[in-house]
Amino acid sequence: MRTVTRVGQYALLAVYIVFLGFPLLWLISASLKTSGELNSLSVSLIPSQWAWDNYSQALSRQGLIRSAWNSAVVALSSTLLILLISMPAAYALARIKGKFRIVGIGWILVSQVFPVILIILPLFLILRTVGLSDSLLGLTLVHTTYTLPFALWMLQGYVANIPIELEEAAAMDGAARIKVLTNIVFPLLVPGLVATAMFAFVASWNEFFFALVLLQSPDNYTLPITLKMFVGGEGKVALGPLAAGSVMAAVPSILFFSIMQKRLTGGFLAGAVKG
């Protein structure tokens, strides 16, 4: 009976993995098909003729590598800024009770109500006034501002789950405040920081609307904007190069997840030992 249950669990896990991975598998398949096969009515996962030149065409068109670099700069910079700001703010929000917490929670909830279309014009005017329109720095600040409330909400939940008794016991043993934070709170907070970093990076890497409105110079285009250029003015889509470009655009995000996932696991283990 136990063996049957375990086989059923593995089968469900396999189905779940296939369900999650199928869109990526289909995208890779499309990136290796010829234009004629992509526009035909026949459906097959395995390309009848391998079109590796879709990747060379994607790399030679529209400045894809430069756009990938721009996306990486904006995503990593905004992620770092979000972590630097949200870490002390989340601790204060989770530990300090009273009106400060009420105001902080209210600000987070209200900030999630406003649609992007409502705030894009004021952001554009502000950035133009301070000379940061059509710049990667301006886009980084916008991504940071827009993602920060939800990142702060995530992180304060992790802080709230750290028992306050650990900090009180360390303080009674004579540990200074800064030592309590660096030696006890920070190591236990690593899983939350990793999860927040993953969320902030992916949100910035995939962001399209702010970049579309705020960036005018092709040299500053991010990856989503450049991939959009694969759609011609007459609505004709270069499906093969677009799929190849999308596969290459997904690689940095997958690598970032792989690297951070190890940190996340390590953080959980460290937290378990210290708890």
Side-chain angles (χ1 to χ4, degrees), residues 24 36 49 154 166:
L24 179 61
Q49 184 179 352
M154 286 178 59
L166 292 176

Side-chain angles (χ1 to χ4, degrees), residues 126-165:
I126 291 172
L127 290 176
R128 190 179 65 176
T129 302
V130 299
L132 289 178
S133 63
D134 192 22
S135 70
L136 296 183
L137 176 59
L139 187 63
T140 299
L141 295 177
V142 169
H143 284 185
T144 302
T145 305
Y146 189 72
T147 310
L148 183 62
F150 192 78
L152 182 55
W153 178 260
M154 286 178 59
L155 202 53
Q156 70 89 26
Y158 282 94
V159 176
N161 285 330
I162 298 175
I164 189 68
E165 290 79 9

Side-chain angles (χ1 to χ4, degrees), residues 13-33:
L13 181 61
V15 171
Y16 184 64
I17 291 174
V18 171
F19 176 76
L20 290 180
F22 186 76
L24 179 61
L25 190 62
W26 190 266
L27 181 64
I28 295 173
S29 170
S31 71
L32 295 172
K33 291 180 178 178

Side-chain angles (χ1 to χ4, degrees), residues 14-188:
V15 171
Y16 184 64
I17 291 174
V18 171
F19 176 76
L20 290 180
F22 186 76
L24 179 61
L25 190 62
W26 190 266
L27 181 64
I28 295 173
S29 170
S31 71
L32 295 172
K33 291 180 178 178
T34 61
S35 177
E37 188 174 359
L38 285 170
N39 289 300
S40 69
L41 296 178
S42 64
V43 178
S44 64
L45 189 61
I46 308 297
S48 60
Q49 184 179 352
W50 299 85
W52 295 100
D53 61 328
N54 284 335
Y55 284 87
S56 59
Q57 290 182 34
L59 288 172
S60 62
R61 294 175 55 181
Q62 314 291 355
L64 196 71
I65 296 178
R66 183 185 62 237
S67 300
W69 171 256
N70 292 340
S71 286
V73 169
V74 173
L76 291 173
S77 301
S78 60
T79 299
L80 182 61
L81 278 175
I82 287 170
L83 289 179
L84 290 175
I85 297 171
S86 63
M87 189 164 52
Y91 182 82
L93 194 64
R95 290 291 189 247
I96 300 176
K97 307 299 180 184
K99 292 183 179 178
F100 174 81
R101 178 176 172 79
I102 295 173
V103 172
I105 296 295
W107 170 70
I108 291 173
L109 295 178
V110 169
S111 67
Q112 300 303 302
V113 174
F114 293 104
V116 175
I117 194 68
L118 192 65
I119 63 175
I120 188 63
L121 182 58
L123 281 174
F124 177 77
L125 295 176
I126 291 172
L127 290 176
R128 190 179 65 176
T129 302
V130 299
L132 289 178
S133 63
D134 192 22
S135 70
L136 296 183
L137 176 59
L139 187 63
T140 299
L141 295 177
V142 169
H143 284 185
T144 302
T145 305
Y146 189 72
T147 310
L148 183 62
F150 192 78
L152 182 55
W153 178 260
M154 286 178 59
L155 202 53
Q156 70 89 26
Y158 282 94
V159 176
N161 285 330
I162 298 175
I164 189 68
E165 290 79 9
L166 292 176
E167 299 178 49
E168 293 173 346
M172 290 181 66
D173 288 341
R177 188 68 177 171
I178 187 66
K179 194 171 183 179
V180 172
L181 293 175
T182 55
N183 289 3
I184 295 178
V185 176
F186 183 76
L188 295 174

